[in-house]
């Protein structure tokens, strides 16, 4: 390698964990990929019930389906706090294969077909599924070079969005009564379960065999030691900044675009539902582009805040355009695509959350980050629904209902200035 090329390698942070590789190593990249593949898998199975809604409603009734979905997200959010501590204490080799297997078993239970099995199996899937993103980002923070953290967190989210697409179209093709396969929905869940167990075995074989950070950082097993990492994280104001920023930058696309966007275009802008659905579908496509792209830019320039603030400003502009610029003025699908790409900035605080806290609590930090993001969604979603009233029928109603989401972006931009810069460029030796 020439001297000029050698000089382009970014310096490592001073607080990089001892023993953390300074270069990408195939075994560790493969370990991360298997965890990210788990994230792809859990998104596929999470989105599958929506595609099977007619079949499940026919089998169970509407009340059971609603209870199942609500229970999933409650358990998912609560488990986000627990799984990070387990990763910090026992390490990825002990935890990741177990939680992947739990998710696969939940699919097998779902495949039994009854309403009780469906609700119980879906809740069990939630217990295991939360480990997908938390585990992937834990592996990236522990085993991969610090300068690549934002890139691999973004790539993880990218795979998750691809999994959502996989859980939609192919699943519909498999169960379509007028299609070539016409498989019972129970058979599809049986296949999901088998895939999960195979992935668990592969992860157990490949994952580095360490014991986590517990020996040096957490001490003997006790209630006080279990609370110790939470005390470290929640007592750090920077943790709250990162969590709130991430949550406030996610909800304009999750609640706004994906939750009510099609209805706004159809009822408020008087477009066809076919156009509205196609337009809204550009948001997750934007995620697939924006999450790794903005993470790569952040790692490349060695700074977090310029990418975070820049993406948030673009998201604000795109959100205002979606609300106040009539359909047809901007290029077709352009606004939704830009919203999705810009919302990739919401992944930057996931990296910041780990970097503003000590290395020994990186797993717990990832869990807390997910908890705060889901908590923000849980607060904002009923607020938007309440402002929507009986359901939006004019743009004035949607303007009123979506205003908290717009204000949330502005607040996130303001909090970003208070967030400490943690990019490698600020930590040169």
């Amino acid at each position: 390698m020439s001297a000029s090329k050698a000089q382009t390698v970014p310096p490592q942070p001073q607080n990089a964990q001892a023993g953390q590789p300074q270069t990408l190593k195939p075994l560790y990249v493969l370990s991360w990929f298997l965890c990210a593949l788990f994230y792809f898998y859990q998104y596929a199975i999470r989105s599958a019930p929506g595609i099977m809604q007619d079949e499940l409603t026919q089998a169970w009734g509407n009340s059971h389906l609603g209870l199942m979905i609500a229970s999933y997200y409650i358990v998912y959010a609560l488990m986000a706090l627990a799984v990070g501590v387990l990763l910090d204490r026992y390490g990825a080799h002990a935890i990741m294969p177990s939680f992947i297997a739990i998710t696969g078993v939940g699919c097998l239970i779902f495949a039994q077909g009854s309403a009780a099995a469906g609700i119980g199996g879906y809740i069990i899937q939630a217990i295991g599924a939360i480990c997908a993103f938390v585990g992937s980002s834990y592996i990236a923070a522990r085993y991969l070079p610090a300068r690549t953290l934002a890139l691999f967190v973004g790539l993880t989210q990218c795979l998750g969005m691809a999994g959502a697409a996989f859980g939609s179209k192919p699943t519909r093709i498999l169960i379509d009564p007028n299609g070539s396969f016409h498989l019972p929905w129970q058979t599809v869940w049986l296949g999901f379960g088998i895939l999960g167990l195979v992935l668990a075995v592969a992860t157990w074989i490949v994952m580095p065999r360490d014991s986590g950070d517990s020996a040096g950082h957490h001490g003997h097993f006790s209630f006080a030691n279990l609370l110790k990492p939470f005390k470290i994280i929640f007592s750090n104001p920077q943790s709250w900044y990162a969590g709130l920023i991430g949550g406030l930058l996610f909800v304009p696309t999750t609640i706004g675009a994906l939750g009510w966007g099609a209805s706004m275009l159809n009822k408020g802008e008087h477009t066809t539902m076919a156009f509205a659905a196609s337009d809204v579908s550009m948001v997750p496509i934007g995620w697939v582009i924006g999450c790794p792209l903005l993470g790569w830019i952040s790692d490349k320039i060695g700074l977090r805040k310029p990418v975070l603030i820049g993406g948030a400003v673009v998201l604000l502009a795109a959100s205002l355009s979606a609300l106040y610029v009539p359909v047809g003025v901007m290029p077709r699908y352009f606004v939704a695509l830009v919203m999705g790409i810009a919302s990739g900035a919401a992944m930057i605080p996931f990296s910041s959350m780990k970097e503003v806290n000590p290395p020994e609590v990186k797993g717990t930090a990832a869990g807390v980050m997910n908890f705060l993001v889901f908590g923000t969604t849980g607060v904002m979603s009923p607020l938007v629904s309440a402002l929507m009233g009986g359901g939006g029928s004019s743009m004035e109603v949607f303007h009123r209902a979506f205003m908290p989401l717009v204000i949330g972006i502005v607040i996130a931009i303001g909090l970003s200035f208070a967030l400490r810069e943690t990019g490698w460029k600020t930590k040169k030796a």
Side-chain angles (χ1 to χ4, degrees):
M1 179 181 293
S2 67
S4 61
K5 288 185 178 179
Q7 291 173 356
T8 64
V9 178
Q12 295 300 305
Q14 292 177 343
N15 65 344
Q17 185 178 357
Q20 184 174 0
Q22 305 301 298
T23 59
L24 292 173
K25 296 186 177 181
L27 177 62
Y28 295 158
V29 174
L30 179 58
S31 299
W32 164 82
F33 178 73
L34 289 174
C35 294
L37 196 61
F38 177 33
Y39 194 49
F40 174 98
Y41 166 78
Q42 71 92 16
Y43 244 112
I45 62 176
R46 190 200 304 186
S47 61
I51 303 303
M52 301 176 177
Q53 186 169 355
D54 291 342
E55 290 78 8
L56 295 179
T57 299
Q58 184 177 0
W60 305 341
N62 283 319
S63 59
H64 295 299
L65 188 59
L67 174 63
M68 182 184 76
I69 295 174
S71 300
Y72 181 98
Y73 283 103
I74 292 173
V75 172
Y76 191 90
L78 293 175
M79 283 301 299
L81 295 175
V83 74
V85 175
L86 294 174
L87 283 166
D88 283 332
R89 177 170 286 275
Y90 300 111
H93 181 263
I95 299 302
M96 290 303 302
S98 302
F99 275 75
I100 298 173
I102 288 171
T103 309
V105 169
C107 293
L108 295 178
I109 295 173
F110 199 112
Q112 299 304 306
S114 67
I119 295 173
Y122 206 54
I123 291 174
I124 291 173
Q125 291 169 39
I127 294 174
I130 184 56
C131 202
F133 185 83
V134 175
S136 298
S137 51
Y138 173 88
I139 294 295
R142 182 175 176 84
Y143 296 123
L144 302 179
R147 67 177 184 273
T148 66
L149 178 58
L151 171 62
F152 279 94
V153 169
L155 287 171
T156 301
Q157 187 66 25
C158 175
L159 278 173
M161 295 305 101
F166 180 81
S168 300
K169 189 66 174 180
T171 298
R172 188 68 246 174
I173 292 174
L174 289 174
I175 66 175
D176 188 351
N178 299 317
S180 302
F181 299 97
H182 192 196
L183 294 178
W185 59 266
Q186 296 92 332
T187 302
V188 173
W189 283 101
L190 179 62
F192 278 141
I194 294 172
L195 287 174
L197 296 180
V198 170
L199 181 59
V201 172
T203 305
W204 182 82
I205 293 172
V206 171
M207 189 65 63
R209 283 153 172 74
D210 63 17
S211 56
D213 296 313
S214 59
H217 300 301
H218 298 298
H220 65 280
F221 186 87
S222 68
F223 184 70
N225 283 330
L226 286 178
L227 291 181
K228 181 180 178 181
F230 292 111
K231 183 178 180 181
I232 293 172
I233 294 168
F234 281 115
S235 64
N236 182 0
Q238 293 290 318
S239 300
W240 291 96
Y241 295 153
L244 290 174
I245 292 167
L248 292 173
L249 293 183
F250 262 124
V251 291
T253 52
T254 54
I255 296 176
L258 298 183
W260 293 93
S263 178
M264 183 191 79
L265 291 171
N266 178 241
K267 296 179 180 179
E269 296 280 6
H270 306 293
T271 68
T272 65
M273 184 54 76
F275 170 84
S278 297
D279 189 78
V280 168
S281 70
M282 298 303 291
V283 171
I285 293 176
W287 285 345
V288 171
I289 300 170
C291 289
L293 175 62
L294 297 186
W296 176 82
I297 294 173
S298 175
D299 286 335
K300 184 70 173 178
I301 67 174
L303 297 171
R304 303 290 187 225
K305 292 173 64 172
V307 182
L308 171 60
I309 295 171
V313 169
V314 174
L315 177 62
L316 176 62
S319 300
L320 292 173
S321 296
L323 285 172
Y324 296 103
V325 177
V327 171
V329 175
M330 304 292 284
R332 191 178 179 91
Y333 305 137
F334 176 78
V335 173
L337 180 62
V338 171
M339 280 188 69
I341 294 173
S343 68
M347 300 308 299
I348 302 296
F350 281 82
S351 300
S352 299
M353 173 67 91
K354 299 179 187 64
E355 294 163 337
V356 298
N357 286 294
E360 64 267 22
V361 296
K362 64 175 67 67
T364 308
V368 170
M369 183 68 187
N370 276 269
F371 177 76
L372 292 175
V373 169
F374 273 87
T376 304
T377 304
V379 171
M380 297 295 281
S381 182
L383 175 60
V384 172
S385 297
L387 292 174
M388 201 70 69
S393 57
S394 67
M395 285 306 297
E396 288 75 17
V397 174
F398 287 105
H399 289 165
R400 180 187 67 215
F402 286 164
M403 190 51 59
L405 305 182
V406 174
I407 295 173
I409 300 174
V410 176
I411 294 174
I413 294 172
L415 291 175
S416 297
F417 287 98
L419 186 66
R420 179 161 59 86
E421 177 59 71
T422 56
W424 59 260
K425 185 169 286 187
T426 64
K427 302 173 183 177
K428 292 181 179 180

